[in-house]
Amino acid sequence: MEMVIVAPPAPGRLEDLRRRFFATPLQAVVSLACLTIMVFLVWKLLNWAVFSAVFTTSGGPEACQATAGACWSVIAARWRIIFFGLYPYEEQWRSALACVAVVVMTVLSCIPAFWTGRRIALVWGAGTGLFYVLMKGGVLGLAHVGEEAWGGLALTLFIFVTTCLIGFPLAICLALLRRSELPWISRTTGLIIDGVRSLPLISILFTFAVVLPFALPQWLQGDKLYRVILGSALFFSAYQAEIVRGGMQGVATGQEEAAMALGMRYWQRISRILLPQAMRNAMPATINQFVISFKETSLVVIVGFFEILASGNAAYGTGEWRFAYVEVYAFIAFIYFIFVFSLSRYGAFLERRMSVSER
Amino acid sequence: MVSLLRNQKVRNALLQVLYVGSIAAMVLAGIVIARRNLADQGITSGFDFLFKSTGWDVNFSLLPATANDPYWWYFLIGIINTLFLGSVGLILATIVGTIVGLARTSSNDLARLLGRTYVDIFRNIPLILQVFFWYAIITHLPTPRSAHEAWGFLLTSRGLYIPFPNVGSAAFAAATVAVIAAIVLPAWLGRTSLLAQPIGQRRTIQFAAAAAALACATIILALGRLPDTPLLDFPALQGLNLRGGLRIPPEFATLAIAIAIYGGSYIAEIVRGGFKSVGTGQVEAALSLGLSPWRVFTLVRLPLALRAMLPILANQYVWLMKATTMGIAVGFTDFFMIVALTINHSGQTLEAIGILMAGFLAINLSLAAVFNRINKAIALKGNQLRG
Amino acid sequence: MISTNSTGEPALRIENLDKYYGTFQALRGINLSVQRGEKIVVCGPSGSGKSTMIRCINRLEQHNGGRIAVLGTELNDDVGNIDEIRREVGMVFQHFNLFPHMTVLENCMISPMIVRKQPRAQAEATARHYLEKVRIPEQAMKYPSQLSGGQQQRVAIARALCMQPQIMLFDEPTSALDPEMVSEVLDVMVTLASEGMTMICVTHEMGFARRVADRVLFMDGGEILEEAPPDEFFTSSRNERTRQFVSQVLGH
């Protein structure tokens, strides 16, 4: 016997659209409202950013003032100060290269093959070292450029990377101390972590930049930049420590017992058994913390550093480009967006992948 | 000696003493050095300065403030400013976040896309950049002479002017309390004393309570109204300046807008997560009982989602409260800026930092306490539902 | 075989052992002496303290009173002694506790390498030898999550053996296993016993106890109520509680 299968008539394009957006009167209203908002915004944005915008510097600021659109010539004229701050003009290729080094380092550390303590330390050590040598110079025939001349994107990245580099090991130490069986150690550490977490980052940066010099002997004061990095690392580590501790709580107690029964000492248990598993558990939350702390590096502008936000202020703040603040902020926002968005997408991807592999 | 070090108990004791001791030593050394350094600059430690007059002004205060006021009064102003800005930002952010979050969980693809775009854009740009951006926009608004005007609202570079009732400040404060009571009272009544009553009576009593509180507010406003003035005071141009209405300074407006938009994007995600955590089974069960979609939403999805959201929301609120310290970027005298100014002007560095820490600790702890209570109340309700 | 006539230091000597959790007394005056090569099976209802007792032997739990001496080394607060004892005492857990982030081979190699400081090649040879012995040499490069419960438990035994311990502790090694996997683990344990390993097993596998044990201990309420060779234990126990327990375990 032969079966004849009659396919139901395929719903047409229009029918499909109707079902998705106009199924009920309420749906229709919502759809239309959203569509109107979207068309309006997209049109406004395109009109401002593309159709009526001025892109070249040839006309100077005057050409911009004649149009209602965006004045991208401010970026064309001032991109160097936004990216490099006050870094010497002839040496700015070094600053660019240093930024590339940090980006490569970040991308590498997102690859699972690098997720062992030694490899990740190697990548970050090499990346930061390269960045520092390129920026500071004084060796390999590179002219010396002091930290006070660093600025723009490079300074933002430097503060971020060093914050993580100091903050991450510190976070692990704090997490271990907090879960210590010795009551006084865990209590004191808990007090420090909770204390730092209850304070706003700005107040910590301010304390480290302005107040700390009073409380330190002369020889310990160091450069203001490094004090601020230390403060920011402390803040980072207080949050990251709780994330690491959460990851440790996710490791079965039997794991440590098995390691003990095999005769491993404390550090062997921690480094070979506990941490590798805990860090894996804590990975999505850790990336989220990196995202947050990258955004928060922008706060150093308040204690007077010339990072990308401050250099943006300078880019439009002086003289003829005074009117072009929206364009400059939009440009900086775009730079932040690229970094933060891709990192947080990656975190979300990782979280999905991990929750799938758990099943 | 060596064998003593191999003893676990001795080792543990030694480690603890060393750890706590070295931290205490560092803190103490810092304080001693700081006191000596400050003394060299002629600044004596102690809290006497709290009672000296400051000699400088604050640009925003809900309390009367002059340069003759003592420092302790300024700290109080700072805390109140922080709490006020924080609460306004928090409420606005919650409204924005709820709308966007609902859009993100909507069944309509366009609404979801719109919500997602919003979250992706505003979450991924640092708050301080957004603060700078809005501040630049607001301070580049036209001067009062050529202000944008709409429905009695004026947008100018000197701030936003809105119509305001002609009442004394004490009466206004009392009326605000009454309005808050009108919102809180019915909820509180519903939770505690009325549970034994049938639901119809409960509704009536709740409604009556709200109405009574609102009536109180109206009476207070009517009594407190300044003599010989219209009910609402509209801002208007007089000479080169604007008179009348309520002026919201650009700094405050900037921060409130920035916190609302940025915080809104985070709260939207929390709202979305909350609704996502409500199992489809529960919704289907409710629908199969013949409840209308609206009742399913208010009776099943919303209460369950709220319970899932609250702990995370509490953390977010604490974060938003701390974000008011961005005030220093635009010159809004929040608690932190008052502390920074105090250090600048009086040099009482250690004391001011101590007060700063104590202040934020108090704010955090009280917020945490409030949310713990709400959490407990909700959890209790959950048990009743189950039992 | 008679268990009390060997000369020299016993493998394990426990005297008047007490253990408290807060105010709850988990062990009351335990006395036990185990000779080298002896196999002890410990049974008893849950909560009777049997796990606690063997966990005290390698200091996973700290005892509050009495003395424990393992291979002549006193187990006290001396960190060196604890390390020494843990090196010589292997343990197998109910839930295997394999390290999920390492392959089977790495699980077996890590401890000899970092604790005994063996070179990699030697550690690998030892590991492969013991994996052969527990009959899963072909799984060496897999991760624990890819193995069945029985296979995992055999890996756990191999891992403990790689440290070449003189005493093996088994803490209910088969109770987390599906019934069809119990025998493959017990077979390995029987082989191990026949080679003369000193073993202390907490288990309810009475068939295993009959075949292997020199002595069976019955514990309840933190005390050892009965101690007898298996034949006597199963047939002519003097203690009422023991008889009841035996009939329950053998009853089904």
Side-chain angles (χ1 to χ4, degrees):
Chain A
M1 215 179 118
E2 215 168 273
M3 290 253 291
V4 181
I5 300 167
V6 181
R13 268 267 170 76
L14 271 175
E15 175 60 21
D16 185 45
L17 274 180
R18 195 191 69 80
R19 255 190 234 158
R20 280 175 67 190
F21 299 111
F22 300 97
T24 64
L26 182 69
Q27 278 270 16
V29 171
V30 172
S31 296
L32 282 178
C34 289
L35 197 67
T36 321
I37 297 174
M38 261 161 31
V39 169
F40 176 76
L41 285 180
V42 169
W43 166 248
K44 273 272 179 193
L45 193 68
L46 280 181
N47 191 30
W48 175 77
V50 183
F51 301 140
S52 324
V54 180
F55 288 94
T56 57
T57 46
S58 54
E62 295 75 25
C64 284
Q65 273 158 335
T67 162
C71 172
W72 297 119
S73 23
V74 64
I75 308 298
R78 297 305 204 104
W79 65 272
R80 273 175 182 269
I81 195 168
I82 294 176
F83 278 118
F84 307 127
L86 301 175
Y87 208 77
Y89 189 90
E90 305 75 42
E91 308 288 342
Q92 281 175 1
W93 61 272
R94 281 162 50 185
S95 188
L97 217 56
C99 292
V100 172
V102 167
V103 171
V104 169
M105 174 184 95
T106 314
V107 171
L108 283 184
S109 38
C110 287
I111 301 171
F114 286 94
W115 291 354
T116 65
R118 198 173 300 166
R119 284 185 197 158
I120 213 89
L122 199 74
V123 168
W124 277 66
T128 317
L130 190 62
F131 181 98
Y132 189 77
V133 168
L134 276 170
M135 287 299 284
K136 184 120 184 190
V139 287
L140 304 171
L142 298 170
H144 175 270
V145 181
E147 279 91 343
E148 67 285 348
W150 298 8
L153 182 63
L155 185 60
T156 294
L157 290 178
F158 181 68
I159 293 172
F160 171 65
V161 168
T162 41
T163 294
C164 298
L165 213 58
I166 301 169
F168 208 86
L170 188 61
I172 293 174
C173 291
L174 286 176
L176 287 173
L177 288 168
R178 190 166 198 178
R179 73 186 277 286
S180 159
E181 286 166 7
L182 310 177
W184 282 100
I185 291 186
S186 70
R187 265 181 232 157
T188 314
T189 314
L191 207 68
I192 295 172
I193 291 176
D194 292 341
V196 171
R197 280 163 59 98
S198 76
L199 289 172
L201 177 55
I202 295 183
S203 71
I204 290 179
L205 295 180
F206 177 82
T207 307
F208 273 72
V210 178
V211 180
L212 207 58
F214 287 109
L216 288 177
Q218 204 75 44
W219 51 272
L220 244 177
Q221 282 179 13
D223 191 71
K224 183 174 158 195
L225 174 64
Y226 293 105
R227 282 203 312 274
V228 165
I229 287 172
L230 222 56
S232 143
L234 179 70
F235 189 76
F236 172 82
S237 66
Y239 279 83
Q240 181 61 29
E242 290 297 278
I243 292 171
V244 173
R245 195 165 71 108
M248 286 174 181
Q249 278 165 351
V251 179
T253 46
Q255 291 291 311
E256 262 207 285
E257 285 179 356
M260 275 187 209
L262 286 168
M264 293 188 204
R265 301 256 176 94
Y266 180 79
W267 279 114
Q268 295 171 334
R269 294 200 299 267
I270 297 298
S271 62
R272 304 299 188 104
I273 308 300
L274 185 69
L275 276 181
Q277 296 183 54
M279 292 322 295
R280 225 159 255 253
N281 293 346
M283 205 62 188
T286 302
I287 291 187
N288 191 31
Q289 189 56 39
F290 273 80
V291 167
I292 290 173
S293 101
F294 184 72
K295 284 191 284 179
E296 279 173 342
T297 52
S298 52
L299 288 178
V300 298
V301 67
I302 286 174
V303 285
F305 285 105
F306 208 70
E307 48 68 83
I308 190 161
L309 195 49
S311 56
N313 285 339
Y316 81 82
T318 50
E320 71 244 23
W321 297 106
R322 216 164 253 286
F323 61 91
Y325 53 93
V326 175
E327 288 82 352
V328 171
Y329 283 135
F331 184 66
I332 298 172
F334 182 66
I335 295 172
Y336 266 109
F337 182 83
I338 291 174
F339 279 93
V340 176
F341 184 71
S342 41
L343 205 55
S344 61
R345 285 286 95 193
Y346 172 71
F349 157 76
L350 211 61
E351 200 169 349
R352 265 200 312 280
R353 209 186 67 161
M354 282 174 74
S355 68
V356 167
S357 71
E358 256 169 39
R359 266 184 240 141
Chain B
M1 185 63 203
V2 178
S3 67
L4 215 66
L5 273 181
R6 276 172 48 141
N7 186 299
Q8 211 171 22
K9 289 203 177 95
V10 175
R11 240 190 213 194
N12 289 350
L14 210 65
L15 277 175
Q16 302 198 63
V17 168
L18 267 178
Y19 182 71
V20 180
S22 55
I23 286 175
M26 275 191 320
V27 172
L28 277 179
I31 292 177
V32 168
I33 294 171
R35 282 181 70 137
R36 211 181 46 216
N37 283 341
L38 290 168
D40 287 349
Q41 296 181 4
I43 294 159
T44 44
S45 317
F47 286 92
D48 295 343
F49 78 102
L50 282 178
F51 304 99
K52 290 182 193 148
S53 66
T54 58
W56 38 275
D57 281 312
V58 288
N59 61 10
F60 184 93
S61 171
L62 295 175
L63 303 172
T66 67
N68 290 327
D69 286 324
Y71 274 100
W72 69 266
W73 182 248
Y74 267 39
F75 284 125
L76 187 66
I77 288 173
I79 290 212
I80 288 178
N81 283 354
T82 286
L83 287 177
F84 181 62
L85 171 63
S87 319
V88 171
L90 211 129
I91 291 168
L92 293 179
T94 309
I95 295 171
V96 172
T98 311
I99 294 171
V100 177
L102 287 178
R104 289 214 62 183
T105 50
S106 135
S107 57
N108 190 302
D109 288 353
L110 286 172
R112 275 212 306 277
L113 179 66
L114 214 56
R116 185 178 169 165
T117 313
Y118 177 92
V119 170
D120 276 347
I121 290 178
F122 291 106
R123 225 171 111 104
N124 291 323
I125 297 170
L127 176 57
I128 183 122
L129 176 53
Q130 299 191 33
V131 168
F132 276 143
F133 176 79
W134 293 114
Y135 192 59
I137 295 271
I138 291 181
T139 48
H140 283 82
L141 283 171
T143 54
R145 287 191 74 121
S146 46
H148 294 304
E149 185 173 358
W151 308 299
F153 289 72
L154 288 175
L155 303 178
T156 79
S157 60
R158 296 205 43 247
L160 313 179
Y161 289 78
I162 59 171
F164 195 69
N166 266 317
V167 291
S169 51
F172 184 75
T176 313
V177 172
V179 169
I180 292 172
I183 299 167
V184 175
L185 210 58
W188 181 73
L189 282 173
R191 172 125 300 127
T192 54
S193 50
L194 296 175
L195 279 174
Q197 315 283 339
I199 192 138
Q201 271 184 36
R202 240 193 280 173
R203 283 277 149 77
T204 320
I205 297 176
Q206 282 174 326
F207 186 75
L214 283 179
C216 274
T218 322
I219 293 170
I220 293 170
L221 282 181
L223 289 179
R225 181 165 152 195
L226 300 174
D228 306 324
T229 52
L231 185 61
L232 272 182
D233 185 17
F234 284 93
L237 195 65
Q238 270 184 15
L240 285 176
N241 258 324
L242 286 164
R243 290 282 142 77
L246 179 73
R247 170 176 170 261
I248 302 173
E251 293 79 23
F252 185 86
T254 298
L255 292 166
I257 291 173
I259 290 176
I261 289 179
Y262 183 81
S265 71
Y266 270 87
I267 291 177
E269 285 300 274
I270 297 172
V271 169
R272 185 174 79 107
F275 278 108
K276 240 174 91 178
S277 75
V278 180
T280 48
Q282 268 131 340
V283 176
E284 279 164 9
L287 282 170
S288 71
L289 286 173
L291 294 179
S292 69
W294 173 249
R295 303 213 80 184
V296 171
F297 180 79
T298 54
L299 291 178
V300 180
R301 287 184 66 199
L302 188 63
L304 287 174
L306 261 180
R307 284 177 53 189
M309 279 180 234
L310 237 119
I312 319 170
L313 210 51
N315 276 338
Q316 193 58 41
Y317 284 163
V318 170
W319 192 93
L320 286 180
M321 229 5 132
K322 289 194 278 181
T324 56
T325 47
M326 304 268 168
I328 200 166
V330 293
F332 175 79
T333 44
D334 71 312
F335 183 45
F336 173 64
M337 188 164 172
I338 299 260
V339 169
L341 287 173
T342 301
I343 291 175
N344 261 347
H345 286 273
S346 72
Q348 303 286 352
T349 314
L350 288 181
E351 297 80 0
I353 290 292
I355 290 171
L356 176 78
M357 289 183 177
F360 270 104
L361 210 62
I363 292 176
N364 283 346
L365 288 179
S366 34
L367 264 181
V370 168
F371 272 98
N372 276 343
R373 288 211 61 164
I374 298 178
N375 244 338
K376 266 200 194 122
I378 289 186
L380 197 83
K381 201 179 167 195
N383 283 334
Q384 285 162 354
L385 274 178
R386 250 175 271 141
Chain C
M1 192 194 260
I2 303 160
S3 56
T4 46
N5 67 348
S6 12
T7 52
E9 191 65 38
L12 169 69
R13 203 177 64 243
I14 298 179
E15 289 168 6
N16 295 321
L17 186 68
D18 287 327
K19 165 74 188 168
Y20 293 87
Y21 292 111
T23 55
F24 173 73
Q25 188 164 9
L27 295 177
R28 301 164 191 269
I30 301 281
N31 283 296
L32 178 67
S33 181
V34 179
Q35 300 304 316
R36 283 172 203 261
E38 215 182 352
K39 288 104 188 110
I40 307 288
V41 165
V42 187
C43 58
S46 62
S48 58
K50 43 194 197 313
S51 282
T52 308
M53 183 185 77
I54 72 165
R55 285 162 62 87
C56 280
I57 296 171
N58 63 353
R59 254 281 158 125
L60 292 186
E61 305 284 351
Q62 200 169 335
H63 56 278
N64 307 103
R67 295 178 59 198
I68 300 178
V70 182
L71 302 164
T73 309
E74 172 92 17
L75 186 63
N76 52 20
D77 284 334
D78 189 311
V79 183
N81 287 5
I82 297 173
D83 285 343
E84 199 181 314
I85 288 170
R86 283 182 180 161
R87 278 199 295 271
E88 300 303 331
V89 177
M91 187 165 193
V92 175
F93 298 85
Q94 180 179 1
H95 296 287
F96 333 135
N97 296 354
L98 293 177
F99 305 132
H101 57 301
M102 301 179 182
T103 62
V104 164
L105 192 64
E106 285 167 340
N107 262 286
C108 295
M109 286 164 60
I110 175 130
S111 216
M113 279 171 65
I114 66 176
V115 177
R116 290 218 191 268
K117 313 281 180 220
Q118 285 180 7
R120 175 172 278 276
Q122 188 192 343
E124 185 170 342
T126 319
R128 288 200 184 275
H129 169 73
Y130 282 110
L131 285 175
E132 190 97 40
K133 199 160 171 155
V134 299
R135 294 174 218 126
I136 34 174
E138 72 284 356
Q139 314 282 11
M141 300 320 281
K142 286 194 179 162
Y143 282 90
S145 58
Q146 296 166 303
L147 304 184
S148 73
Q151 289 173 323
Q152 289 193 47
Q153 192 61 297
R154 284 186 281 153
V155 173
I157 295 174
R159 178 177 73 174
L161 291 175
C162 283
M163 282 294 283
Q164 282 152 340
Q166 304 192 38
I167 302 175
M168 283 286 284
L169 308 175
F170 293 83
D171 188 0
E172 308 209 18
T174 55
S175 21
L177 294 177
D178 291 336
E180 74 271 19
M181 293 171 181
V182 170
S183 65
E184 59 186 78
V185 173
L186 290 181
D187 287 348
V188 169
M189 289 167 67
V190 170
T191 317
L192 195 60
S194 68
E195 287 167 4
M197 174 65 77
T198 311
M199 290 164 68
I200 303 174
C201 313
V202 172
T203 182
H204 290 162
E205 297 295 335
M206 292 303 137
F208 173 78
R210 252 187 236 270
R211 271 171 73 188
V212 170
D214 297 312
R215 270 185 291 160
V216 181
L217 266 54
F218 177 71
M219 285 183 73
D220 195 14
E223 289 172 296
I224 298 180
L225 293 184
E226 177 128 20
E227 184 179 343
D231 296 338
E232 195 184 319
F233 182 87
F234 289 115
T235 52
S236 51
S237 170
R238 279 151 296 171
N239 187 300
E240 170 63 25
R241 300 251 288 282
T242 315
R243 278 206 300 276
Q244 203 183 343
F245 179 78
V246 167
S247 73
Q248 273 169 358
V249 175
L250 295 179
H252 52 93

